[in-house]
Amino acid sequence: MKYFNNPDRLVSLLWQLWQGLGVTMSLFGFTLLFSLPLGLALALLRMSRHKALRLPVQLFILVMRGTPLILQVFTVYFVLPMIFGAAFERLTAVVIAFVMNYAAYFAEIYRGGVQAVPVGQREAAHVLGFARSQAFMRIILPQVIKRIVLPVSNEVITLVKDTALVTAVGMVELYRVARNAASTVGSLEPLFIAGAVYLLINAVVSFLFNRVNRYFSYYQG
Amino acid sequence: MLQAENITKRYADNKVLRGVSLRVDRGEVVAVIGPSGSGKSTLLRCLIDLERVDGGRIMVGGETLVDSQAGGYAGKAALRRVILKMGFVFQSFNLFPHLTVLRNVTEAQERVLKRSKREARERAMEVLDKVGLSDKASEYPYMLSGGQQQRVAIARALAMDPQMLCFDEPTSALDPLLTMEVLRVIKGLAEEDRTMLVVTHEMAFAREVADRVVFMKEGTVRCEGTPEEVFDHPEVRAFSSQAPKP
Amino acid sequence: MKRCLTLILAMVMLSSLFLSATAQEDTSLKDILDNGKLILGLDASFPPMGFVDADTGEIVGFDIDLAREVCARLGVELVTQPIDWAAKEMELNAHHIDCIWNGMTITPDRLENMSISLPYLRNDQVLVTRTEDGYGNLSDLAGKKLGIQAGSSANDALDAAEDFKASLGEVVPFDENLTALMDLNQGGLDMVLVDVIVANYYMAVNDYPFTVLDESLAPEEYGIGFRRGDTALCNKVNELLLDMREDGTLAKISEEWFGKDITIIGEAE
């Protein structure tokens, strides 16, 4: 017990964790903000009838899902500066890597959702005179969203925990703060406190997704 | 109203349509019958561009959908005009599950025909009333029986004010009792002098409602004519004696 | 997107450019003075050299005090940048940091990849064992399990001691010394190879029932790592450290952290 009998030290740790949490949540927020729409764009390209659009995206998704995220983080942070000369900010670099990685996963979730909508829905829209884009936005997409809520929630929860990977490029986020504190006091207590914080975030995430899921239960099929 | 000439269509090595011609005049009810795999559903789907033909010519209400001798398929705008001339009812209803019955019927009116919300709603209530479901307007499709869902699908097609209605085995997914209620609605429409093309397994229904019956087998039209003529044809008699009775 | 893809694929080819891309004019000292700051890369979990103070949350340590004094004399600001220890060379080469100053052992490999200052502290790689096991010397440890921080100089020391390494049963890599020492405490390891300074720190804060073997692997020295070719900056820092030895500042800082002056600047040469 290096913290619970030492309130000043505990307060100091919580303050440091709070600052680390800021970094963790920025990475989390920016990643979702950009990867959710980018994933949709990738999914649409992936389902394109044109090979020239489909194949590069297919390869991109293969590489993004097929290589370790941490390697992608290294690539953006260490390799791109050698090509473009200028280095990215740490946060910018990891957000780029995370967005590309998560967009690839989201793209496949979206694609699965689109394919799970019966072909009859598209045919019904067609015979009613909907243009393809109209049919997608009005008929297909709303049904896709219901189908992807649960798989997307899985990814989002994973993302919360994946943010800890960025310690590899020296980002001082929640986990790194706890690790440094652990090294100083020679105890794992700070790591467990950080673990509780991750759990709390994901409890909120789960709660929100359950709400969304319940919202879509107004219809079946 | 509708003219299809020498339509051919194949999936890989399987020749589904081997030069089929079909014509439906204004105000005429035509029933297409035939065993499974005879190509009758494929023919119907080609007429509204759900499938693309390999050869032949299709004209709807004076507009050319496709003419393999002269330029192939029409442009986007013409395709759309052809599609809007026809209402199409599927075997599997294909209602939009995330929309209420009312919005299933108003959505295309508003988005495609650009009718106002009020106009679309009024027209929707008219056609729902016609199929006897105006009291279900605010329910979702999953709450309805199969027969009710199919009647909503018919209302959805009618609301677009098409010049012609196509039915693709509209009762094949329904049990006999529900089949009756859907057939009653279709019969009611036939009596309004609408132009209709019905692909069906219901022999008695075809005999009763159709002005003309077309019998297809193995991708060709074997015979066509008045119900009396066609049902007297030996091949048709052999077929209809095996077909399930409603 | 397509471009990023090709970039990743080109990674392997580009890594060969790492070494060749540094043949330019040496503006290292001028750059630091122009920027008005020195970015110091550190692991931040390496007490007492550089770590996060548990009570204040500040990065503190012997190295930090030393660097702050050097920066004051240079007239620039000291900026501490936590990095992942395993990525330290990449951080340097990508110009994300200006130096690595965090109890870094001078090794032949590192001399090849960096410009390194004069040695300023002596370090031994020592073997920490459980007192109850009663191990006395290296030969007692044959066939036993050793824990080590991945990417640390303990690895190099172990590689250099070929016979000893070959005699071991298993070598288990850890991200941090702390976790290795905890594993030793709970019996998952028979020994941990670690910097003597680190060993003393943890044995002091945690009352672990550990014994440090008298026999150590090749004694080593700590140095400050700069980008390869940043000789002007490296020389200037050497010069300032020697000044600090002369005027007693170095001894004072050492006494604050270790209770006595254990620095070795200027001794070897």
Side-chain angles (χ1 to χ4, degrees):
Chain A
M1 289 286 119
K2 305 225 174 189
Y3 282 95
F4 292 105
N5 47 17
N6 189 340
D8 288 347
R9 183 179 271 192
L10 183 62
V11 167
S12 168
L13 175 68
L14 291 178
W15 171 242
Q16 294 169 51
L17 288 173
W18 174 254
Q19 291 171 311
L21 182 63
V23 177
T24 297
M25 292 315 284
S26 319
L27 174 58
F28 174 74
F30 283 127
T31 301
L32 284 188
L33 183 66
F34 296 118
S35 64
L36 285 168
L38 178 61
L40 184 57
L42 288 176
L44 292 176
L45 290 172
R46 174 70 183 77
M47 290 182 289
S48 165
R49 284 169 296 183
H50 306 290
K51 254 191 183 167
L53 295 176
R54 198 171 64 227
L55 290 183
V57 172
Q58 208 172 339
L59 184 62
F60 174 81
I61 290 173
L62 178 69
V63 172
M64 286 298 133
R65 297 199 309 164
T67 57
L69 175 54
I70 189 147
L71 179 60
Q72 296 162 16
V73 170
F74 274 136
T75 306
V76 174
Y77 190 56
F78 292 116
V79 181
L80 295 195
M82 290 193 299
I83 295 161
F84 298 120
F88 292 113
E89 282 287 309
R90 269 161 218 271
L91 183 63
T92 313
V94 298
V95 165
I96 290 171
F98 269 62
V99 165
M100 293 199 302
N101 182 277
Y102 273 82
Y105 280 95
F106 286 137
E108 289 295 83
I109 290 176
Y110 294 148
R111 190 162 72 97
V114 170
Q115 286 181 352
V117 175
V119 66
Q121 292 292 308
R122 223 157 306 153
E123 293 185 346
H126 171 84
V127 300
L128 286 168
F130 284 99
R132 275 170 66 92
S133 57
Q134 260 181 335
F136 185 78
M137 294 306 292
R138 292 275 152 195
I139 307 299
I140 308 301
L141 197 57
Q143 298 185 51
V144 169
I145 293 171
K146 179 185 170 91
R147 282 159 222 259
I148 62 174
V149 172
L150 291 180
V152 165
S153 75
N154 259 340
E155 285 304 316
V156 173
I157 284 171
T158 304
L159 171 62
V160 169
K161 294 171 292 177
D162 272 357
T163 54
L165 281 178
V166 303
T167 57
V169 290
M171 296 262 295
V172 184
E173 44 60 79
L174 191 56
Y175 187 70
R176 179 61 179 254
V177 168
R179 237 176 72 177
N180 287 348
S183 291
T184 303
V185 300
S187 146
L188 293 187
E189 272 173 65
L191 291 174
F192 289 117
I193 295 171
V197 176
Y198 285 112
L199 182 61
L200 191 67
I201 299 171
N202 272 334
V204 173
V205 169
S206 302
F207 172 78
L208 293 176
F209 272 100
N210 281 336
R211 290 290 292 269
V212 175
N213 199 37
R214 205 167 340 136
Y215 169 77
F216 280 107
S217 66
Y218 72 85
Y219 74 90
Q220 290 166 14
Chain B
M1 179 70 220
L2 177 131
Q3 218 172 332
E5 287 162 15
N6 203 24
I7 304 299
T8 56
K9 167 83 185 165
R10 64 200 297 173
Y11 296 113
D13 286 342
N14 182 15
K15 288 182 190 159
V16 188
L17 298 175
R18 307 164 183 240
V20 176
S21 296
L22 180 75
R23 119 183 224 115
V24 182
D25 292 327
R26 198 171 294 276
E28 194 183 25
V29 176
V30 176
V32 182
I33 59 171
S36 305
S38 58
K40 55 194 192 303
S41 274
T42 306
L43 174 64
L44 199 62
R45 291 168 60 84
C46 287
L47 300 179
I48 196 161
D49 197 33
L50 283 172
E51 307 279 351
R52 294 242 145 160
V53 303
D54 294 325
R57 191 163 83 112
I58 298 173
M59 288 186 60
V60 180
E63 195 92 50
T64 306
L65 171 69
V66 60
D67 186 347
S68 60
Q69 304 290 312
Y73 270 87
K76 251 187 182 163
L79 279 181
R80 217 168 120 86
R81 284 197 297 272
V82 169
I83 288 167
L84 286 178
K85 284 180 199 289
M86 287 196 275
F88 197 96
V89 176
F90 296 88
Q91 178 181 341
S92 50
F93 331 139
N94 295 346
L95 294 183
F96 304 132
H98 60 301
L99 302 179
T100 60
V101 165
L102 181 66
R103 284 204 44 214
N104 260 278
V105 184
T106 57
E107 191 73 5
Q109 293 186 65
E110 289 174 25
R111 305 282 160 202
V112 179
L113 300 182
K114 308 290 178 203
R115 287 180 183 161
S116 72
K117 270 198 153 67
R118 220 183 106 196
E119 210 182 339
R121 201 191 135 86
E122 278 170 9
R123 179 69 183 131
M125 292 314 288
E126 264 173 49
V127 289
L128 283 173
D129 198 44
K130 191 180 211 101
V131 299
L133 288 172
S134 47
D135 57 326
K136 303 284 186 191
S138 58
E139 299 196 355
Y140 284 91
Y142 78 94
M143 300 164 161
L144 306 181
S145 74
Q148 289 171 329
Q149 289 191 42
Q150 191 60 300
R151 283 148 64 196
V152 173
I154 292 169
R156 184 172 68 175
L158 283 174
M160 302 296 285
D161 297 317
Q163 297 177 14
M164 171 178 176
L165 283 170
C166 298
F167 295 84
D168 184 8
E169 305 194 16
T171 60
S172 296
L174 300 173
D175 63 40
L177 201 65
L178 300 179
T179 297
M180 291 305 292
E181 70 180 57
V182 172
L183 290 182
R184 205 175 305 128
V185 168
I186 298 174
K187 202 171 143 192
L189 294 172
E191 284 162 1
E192 291 175 9
D193 272 347
R194 285 175 186 273
T195 314
M196 290 172 38
L197 179 58
V198 187
V199 168
T200 184
H201 282 127
E202 302 291 336
M203 295 304 149
F205 174 75
R207 187 190 287 267
E208 184 183 357
V209 173
D211 299 317
R212 205 147 49 80
V213 175
V214 176
F215 177 71
M216 282 183 69
K217 196 176 172 187
E218 289 162 4
T220 55
V221 173
R222 287 301 166 89
C223 65
E224 61 174 301
T226 62
E228 292 72 26
E229 289 165 4
V230 172
F231 283 102
D232 216 28
H233 191 280
E235 229 176 335
V236 179
R237 250 191 288 176
F239 162 67
S240 64
S241 64
Q242 307 155 5
K245 297 281 182 290
Chain C
M1 232 90 50
K2 259 161 90 180
R3 190 150 66 155
C4 292
L5 247 175
T6 33
L7 291 184
I8 290 165
L9 294 173
M11 221 182 129
V12 183
M13 289 187 293
L14 281 158
S15 54
S16 61
L17 293 174
F18 258 94
L19 298 170
S20 61
T22 48
Q24 300 151 340
E25 199 187 344
D26 181 7
T27 58
S28 55
L29 179 60
K30 188 172 171 297
D31 289 345
I32 297 296
L33 295 174
D34 288 352
N35 287 337
K37 61 183 182 186
L38 176 78
I39 305 175
L40 180 152
L42 85 169
D43 182 52
S45 56
F46 190 38
M49 307 307 287
F51 63 104
V52 180
D53 185 283
D55 297 319
T56 65
E58 305 281 316
I59 290 179
V60 297
F62 172 76
D63 277 337
I64 303 303
D65 284 354
L66 216 54
R68 187 158 286 127
E69 181 64 26
V70 166
C71 283
R73 291 178 186 219
L74 272 174
V76 300
E77 188 196 346
L78 174 70
V79 178
T80 52
Q81 173 59 58
I83 57 163
D84 191 85
W85 193 243
K88 56 189 176 303
E89 288 88 354
M90 288 193 282
E91 295 274 6
L92 261 188
N93 288 332
H95 288 252
H96 295 140
I97 55 175
D98 298 315
C99 65
I100 298 157
W101 195 334
N102 192 202
M104 185 186 79
T105 302
I106 302 170
T107 67
D109 280 350
R110 288 175 185 165
L111 277 171
E112 217 163 89
N113 293 322
M114 306 178 197
S115 293
I116 301 186
S117 71
L118 296 172
Y120 64 94
L121 212 63
R122 180 162 296 124
N123 173 47
D124 284 333
Q125 294 294 337
V126 295
L127 287 156
V128 180
T129 61
R130 279 184 304 272
T131 311
E132 62 184 56
D133 289 340
Y135 299 128
N137 49 43
L138 296 190
S139 54
D140 292 347
L141 297 167
K144 301 287 192 240
K145 207 186 264 188
L146 175 138
I148 200 164
Q149 185 190 6
S152 72
S153 65
N155 267 315
D156 299 336
L158 183 64
D159 288 341
E162 282 176 30
D163 294 344
F164 174 62
K165 189 180 183 185
S167 76
L168 291 169
E170 190 184 344
V171 175
V172 185
F174 287 82
D175 268 357
E176 278 145 306
N177 288 317
L178 171 65
T179 35
L181 290 168
M182 290 178 67
D183 199 20
L184 175 65
N185 191 40
Q186 67 189 17
L189 299 170
D190 299 303
M191 71 203 111
V192 175
L193 183 62
V194 62
D195 294 14
V196 65
I197 287 167
V198 178
N200 288 336
Y201 179 85
Y202 280 124
M203 286 165 67
V205 293
N206 268 346
D207 296 325
Y208 286 136
F210 291 164
T211 299
V212 174
L213 295 200
D214 291 337
E215 206 174 337
S216 65
L217 299 190
E220 301 166 340
E221 291 159 335
Y222 285 160
I224 306 148
F226 300 89
R227 242 183 317 283
R228 191 181 147 81
D230 282 7
T231 324
L233 178 60
C234 181
N235 288 345
K236 183 68 186 172
V237 171
N238 281 336
E239 196 182 299
L240 290 171
L241 287 173
L242 288 167
D243 288 352
M244 286 160 64
R245 181 179 179 83
E246 287 304 310
D247 62 24
T249 320
L250 203 56
K252 198 172 134 244
I253 296 173
S254 175
E255 273 156 28
E256 274 169 30
W257 288 99
F258 304 109
K260 56 182 176 183
D261 182 8
I262 61 168
T263 60
I264 57 165
I265 271 281
E267 273 178 14
E269 274 90 358

